[in-house]
Amino acid sequence: MELRHLTSFIVVAEEQSFTRAALRLHIAQPPLSQRIRELEDELGARLFERSTRKVALTSAGRVFLDHVRALPRQIDEAVQACRRAQRGETGKLRLGYTGRASQAQLPRLLGRLRQAYPDVMLDIQGPLPTGALRLKLLQDELDAALCFLPIEGPGLQARVSLESEFAMALPASHPMARPRRLALRQLQGEPFVAYPAGQGFHLRQAMEAICRDAGFAPRVVRESEASQTLLCLIAAGVGVGLIPREIEALNIEGVVFRPLPRHARRIQHGLAWRQDNHNPALGRLLDLFGQG
């Protein structure tokens, strides 16, 4: 039994005429009659009472029509749904993000994705350190991640979207907060507050690298995953820190920022994904991300 048999049966039943049904189906009448006979033979039941004046459904034909009438429409809907999924217009997208991404990148990207592909179901995971996002990508638990770069691993790809400068953050009451210009090496020996070590925080790794470039290793006395908490610790005089420059916008009272030299290291942020991930919705996300 093929779809053409069912379609022919439904049209003949609706038209109550082989002649009109053949015209509607754009086929000759003999092939149409042959299809109906093949269907009746397969079912072992007569579907139509035929006369010179009209064609009428038998009781078996009426029961069969009740069950199959919706099939062509359902199949067409299934075909369209399949094609939309293949184009990435539907389906599921698992997106992870760091705390930095939540401030601007994530809302902007999700807004564009929702506007362009409203039927894509989003599974948003975060905020998480870049190290944790990297593991989720490698273990196929995420389709993509907004994270700090570079990110390394078998088959991982990435696109940079922005660079962050670091700045020295000091308590307003600190003697070194008075000069407008300050060399980082002058903070050697000062207690530092920082993002956690050994947990995949790129910001911690970048901070330590910047200090190494200045000739010393920072003495970290307190750690926190939250930038706002670090600024509060600095304001309280617990220590100094190296903080992404845009965090200054939090306007925490009691903290002053001093710039690093122009040649100081910066940290990149962007989108990472696995090259062998063939989720069509990921392709649509990459298209939107590439549009800036």
Side-chain angles (χ1 to χ4, degrees), residues 17 54 57 63 68 96 126 128 142 169 230 265 270 276:
S17 165
K54 69 172 185 175
L57 285 167
V63 170
V68 303
L128 293 168
L142 285 175
L230 292 178
R265 294 176 187 248
D276 61 355

Side-chain angles (χ1 to χ4, degrees), residues 42-82:
E42 184 168 350
L43 292 172
R46 190 168 181 173
L47 299 174
F48 294 103
E49 296 288 355
R50 301 165 176 86
S51 70
T52 56
R53 289 182 296 177
K54 69 172 185 175
V55 175
L57 285 167
T58 64
S59 58
R62 286 191 293 272
V63 170
F64 190 59
L65 179 64
D66 289 341
H67 284 78
V68 303
R69 190 193 295 273
L71 285 180
R73 176 182 55 79
Q74 292 172 348
I75 291 173
D76 181 66
E77 291 174 353
V79 169
Q80 295 304 318
C82 177

Side-chain angles (χ1 to χ4, degrees), residues 168-174 177 191-193 222 227-241 243 250-257:
M168 293 173 278
L170 301 89
S173 58
H174 197 288
F192 272 74
V193 299
R222 291 286 296 274
S227 298
Q228 191 161 3
T229 300
L230 292 178
L231 291 181
C232 290
L233 291 171
I234 293 170
V238 175
V240 300
I243 306 291
L250 293 177
N251 291 319
I252 299 297
E253 186 176 352
V255 179
V256 297
F257 288 83

Side-chain angles (χ1 to χ4, degrees), residues 71-281:
L71 285 180
R73 176 182 55 79
Q74 292 172 348
I75 291 173
D76 181 66
E77 291 174 353
V79 169
Q80 295 304 318
C82 177
R83 289 173 177 167
R84 292 190 66 209
Q86 180 59 33
R87 292 193 298 264
E89 297 173 4
T90 63
K92 182 178 181 180
L93 183 67
R94 303 164 300 170
L95 180 63
Y97 69 97
T98 63
R100 184 68 57 251
S102 66
Q103 294 183 10
Q105 282 186 301
L106 183 66
R108 186 166 56 245
L109 184 59
L110 292 184
R112 292 206 304 268
L113 185 67
R114 178 60 61 196
Q115 183 175 15
Y117 307 107
D119 294 327
V120 171
M121 183 174 68
L122 296 171
D123 176 10
I124 309 300
Q125 301 181 31
L128 293 168
T130 293
L133 295 173
R134 172 184 174 275
L135 288 177
K136 282 181 171 288
L137 286 171
L138 292 174
Q139 295 168 1
D140 195 27
E141 296 175 8
L142 285 175
D143 294 305
L146 287 165
C147 59
F148 289 104
L149 303 175
I151 185 169
E152 297 179 353
L156 291 184
Q157 300 260 313
R159 290 181 189 169
V160 177
S161 58
L162 59 86
E163 285 190 335
S164 293
E165 297 181 3
F166 281 82
M168 293 173 278
L170 301 89
S173 58
H174 197 288
M176 293 186 192
R178 297 186 187 122
R180 300 300 300 174
R181 291 288 174 182
L182 181 67
L184 178 58
R185 63 179 177 275
Q186 292 178 255
L187 297 183
Q188 183 175 359
E190 293 285 333
F192 272 74
V193 299
Y195 298 95
Q199 297 182 28
F201 279 87
H202 269 45
L203 290 174
R204 173 61 177 264
Q205 297 166 18
M207 181 270 286
E208 291 177 342
I210 292 171
C211 289
R212 284 198 303 270
D213 292 342
F216 70 96
R219 179 170 61 89
V220 177
V221 296
R222 291 286 296 274
E223 296 179 337
S224 175
E225 298 180 4
S227 298
Q228 191 161 3
T229 300
L230 292 178
L231 291 181
C232 290
L233 291 171
I234 293 170
V238 175
V240 300
L242 285 180
I243 306 291
R245 189 62 185 266
E246 61 266 25
I247 299 302
E248 188 174 358
L250 293 177
N251 291 319
I252 299 297
E253 186 176 352
V255 179
V256 297
F257 288 83
R258 295 292 179 261
L260 291 173
R262 292 183 179 179
H263 63 267
R265 294 176 187 248
R266 300 184 178 192
I267 193 165
Q268 296 177 326
H269 206 282
L271 187 71
W273 69 95
R274 275 177 51 164
Q275 188 176 15
D276 61 355
N277 186 322
H278 301 298
N279 181 354

